């Protein structure tokens, strides 16, 4: 019966847990720097394990440190319903991106427990490793490996930008939650629901509380290497220089023209730009920079993305440009029973809601390859995210958790 679980969602408790988590990697400007698999990211799992133990929930971890907290159902062999997101943040991230989906799922488990509801299926909280990329520059890592879209062995060969092997970070994370039982990679799941702040301005602009995500737009990510020649800033004439910074800037301007669209559907970002040797008296011989290109239409992603290498080569000047594609995440449509259930539940709880696109990428994009998926958005202040000032209200966070709790109970009792 609707309302029992949501009535037990505790707004103050949920907010307090956000503030507890925000201490793990707190930055002086009030944000959070909790990079994937760093010590604070491990501590976040340990905190969840401790909270879960107090409620009699069990904990599991898989070979890539995806972390699960389980509330048993009456049918212990039934495929579980999962809900969760990520605990890692961008380098200058906020207090809500990712962690809200983790804590809303935990709050839902507690509310269902407090309501004394027995569900047929187990319900599990999932923490997906390295959604943001962190030191590994590879996002949605844990969820893509979980579904087999990325090979575990390939990921285990990665090193961070600090040159430390990812295997050491995974081992340290494993030790931080030594009580958790090992679990093999990938297991059948009945459904997955992810709560997340919108990270955009739409809900706030129209005064709605709940977003029912219908599409997660696609993303193509490239890394461009520009190779020139180091030289003395005082002695080499302009005509004899192979200045990688100059060529990289010409390429970047050409890419901006290539991706320009007057109706502003395209999202094109150069967020990482590394000049080497990065010394004032040296003409830089090497530059590497990232391209992040997003669009809801895979045909546009294909057409404009396939031309990137040609644009780079056409503007490389005296240097040599090479392009490596790191990710092509196709747009994912979230339709059918779960978005319908989210929408109906928001309505029955008297919460304003609307169907919408997600501009940001999420672990749900990959989990959708193995199970039915839904996403619940709540507003964030001015739509700001991937920024230390990211903010949300306790009431909105709790509203999303109330919808989530009811949806999980319903899904856990469906055959
Ligand atoms: O980049 C993204 O869309 C996600 O926030 N990591
Ligand atoms: Mn996120
Ligand atoms: Mn993010």
């Amino acid at each position: 019966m609707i309302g029992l679980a949501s009535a037990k969602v505790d707004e103050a408790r949920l907010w307090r847990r956000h503030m507890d988590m925000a201490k793990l990697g707190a930055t002086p400007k009030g944000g959070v720097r909790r990079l994937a698999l760093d010590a604070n990211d491990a501590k976040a799992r340990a905190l969840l394990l401790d909270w879960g133990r107090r409620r009699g929930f069990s904990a599991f971890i898989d070979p890539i440190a995806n972390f699960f907290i389980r509330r048993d159902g009456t049918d212990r062999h039934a495929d579980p319903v999962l809900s969760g997101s990520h605990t890692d943040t961008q380098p200058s991230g906020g207090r809500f991106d990712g962690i809200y989906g983790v804590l809303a799922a935990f709050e839902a488990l507690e509310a269902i427990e407090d309501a004394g509801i027995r569900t047929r299926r187990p319900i599990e909280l999932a923490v997906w490793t390295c959604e943001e990329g962190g030191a590994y520059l590879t996002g949605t890592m844990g969820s893509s490996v979980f579904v087999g879209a990325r090979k575990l062995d390939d990921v285990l060969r990665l090193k961070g930008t600090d040159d430390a092997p990812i295997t050491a970070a995974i081992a340290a994370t494993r030790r931080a939650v030594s009580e958790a039982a090992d679990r093999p990679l990938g297991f059948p799941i009945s459904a997955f629901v992810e709560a997340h702040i919108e990270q955009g301005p739409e809900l706030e602009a129209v005064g709605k509380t709940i977003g029912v995500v219908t599409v997660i737009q696609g993303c193509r990510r490239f890394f461009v290497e520009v190779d020139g020649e180091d030289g003395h800033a005082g002695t080499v004439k302009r005509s004899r220089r192979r200045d990688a910074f100059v060529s990289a800037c010409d390429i970047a301007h050409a890419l901006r023209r290539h991706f320009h669209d007057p109706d502003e559907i395209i999202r094109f970002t150069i967020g990482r730009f590394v000049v080497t040797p990065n010394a004032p008296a040296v003409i830089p011989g090497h530059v590497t920079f990232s391209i992040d290109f997003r669009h809801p239409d895979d045909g546009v992603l294909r057409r404009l993305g396939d031309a990137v290498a040609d644009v780079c080569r056409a503007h490389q000047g005296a240097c040599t440009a090479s392009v490596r594609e790191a990710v092509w995440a196709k747009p994912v449509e979230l339709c059918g029973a779960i978005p319908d259930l989210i929408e109906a539940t928001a309505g029955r709880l008297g919460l304003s809601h609307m169907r919408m696109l997600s501009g940001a990428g999420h672990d749900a994009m990959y989990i959708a390859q193995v199970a039915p998926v839904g996403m619940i958005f709540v507003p964030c202040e001015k739509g700001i995210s991937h920024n230390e000032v990211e903010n949300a209200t306790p009431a909105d966070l709790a509203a999303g958790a109330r919808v989530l709790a009811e949806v999980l109970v319903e899904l856990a009792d469906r055959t």
Side-chain angles (χ1 to χ4, degrees), residues 86 97-98 131-132 196 362:
H86 57 96
D97 176 0
E131 191 276 343
E132 300 283 20
H196 208 287
H362 299 285

Side-chain angles (χ1 to χ4, degrees), residues 29-328:
K29 290 188 194 166
V32 180
R33 176 187 176 87
R34 187 168 56 234
L35 298 187
L37 297 170
D38 74 7
N40 283 312
D41 197 28
K43 282 182 193 154
R45 285 172 175 74
L47 201 47
L48 286 164
L49 185 140
D50 180 46
W51 292 342
R53 180 197 310 110
R54 294 163 193 261
R55 300 295 299 217
F57 302 151
S58 45
F60 302 86
I61 190 165
D62 74 12
I64 194 163
N66 290 324
F67 183 67
F68 307 91
I69 298 271
R70 176 183 174 101
R71 180 178 187 266
D72 280 329
T74 54
D75 177 355
R76 58 195 300 275
H77 300 297
D79 296 343
V81 173
L82 261 60
S83 179
S85 190
H86 57 96
T87 52
D88 65 307
T89 71
Q90 288 291 339
S92 52
R95 298 175 297 168
F96 303 97
D97 176 0
I99 197 68
Y100 169 57
V102 170
L103 294 178
F106 192 80
E107 179 60 34
L109 289 180
E110 291 204 278
I112 295 166
E113 185 76 8
D114 290 341
I117 296 171
R118 299 307 307 155
T119 59
R120 183 173 77 82
R121 295 180 181 280
I123 302 175
E124 296 195 8
L125 178 159
V127 173
W128 304 113
T129 295
C130 192
E131 191 276 343
E132 300 283 20
Y136 307 100
L137 306 182
T138 304
T140 50
M141 186 192 282
S143 50
S144 58
V145 168
F146 181 85
V147 303
R150 203 179 258 142
K151 287 196 178 59
L152 176 63
D153 289 349
D154 293 348
V155 169
L156 294 182
R157 278 192 284 271
L158 288 176
K159 288 191 173 173
T161 45
D162 56 1
D163 223 23
I166 194 171
T167 47
I170 291 174
T173 303
R174 182 74 190 84
R175 287 193 297 273
V177 286
S178 54
E179 205 178 305
D182 280 317
R183 199 178 236 179
L185 197 57
F187 50 86
I189 57 181
S190 161
F192 176 67
V193 186
E194 180 168 4
H196 208 287
I197 53 170
E198 178 199 338
Q199 300 180 289
E202 308 306 328
L203 285 171
E204 187 181 63
V206 296
K208 302 267 187 191
T209 305
I210 300 294
V212 183
V213 178
T214 52
V215 177
I216 306 173
Q217 73 173 348
C219 173
R220 288 184 79 172
R221 187 164 298 164
F222 305 85
F223 288 97
V224 181
E225 304 277 340
V226 181
D227 280 307
E229 184 180 42
D230 287 4
H232 194 299
T235 59
V236 184
K237 284 183 179 174
R238 177 176 43 75
S239 58
R240 300 184 61 80
R241 290 184 176 206
R242 296 185 59 232
D243 186 330
F245 176 76
V246 168
S247 292
C249 289
D250 290 347
I251 293 170
H253 285 299
L255 288 168
R256 278 186 68 235
R257 291 190 296 275
H258 174 69
F259 285 112
H260 179 75
D261 73 331
D263 52 4
E264 291 199 74
I265 304 296
I266 289 177
R267 300 285 186 271
F268 163 69
T269 311
I270 294 178
R272 180 179 174 83
F273 195 98
V274 181
V275 178
T276 307
N278 206 21
V282 179
I283 301 162
H286 186 260
V287 166
T288 177
F289 67 87
S290 60
I291 296 170
D292 182 301
F293 164 39
R294 316 247 182 143
H295 200 278
D297 178 333
D298 205 42
V300 174
L301 286 167
R302 175 180 303 283
R303 181 169 51 82
L304 293 179
D306 287 357
V308 163
D310 289 344
V311 173
C312 293
R313 277 193 290 271
H315 293 84
Q316 64 190 4
C319 295
T320 309
S322 56
V323 180
R324 174 177 68 85
E325 180 155 19
V327 174
W328 184 345

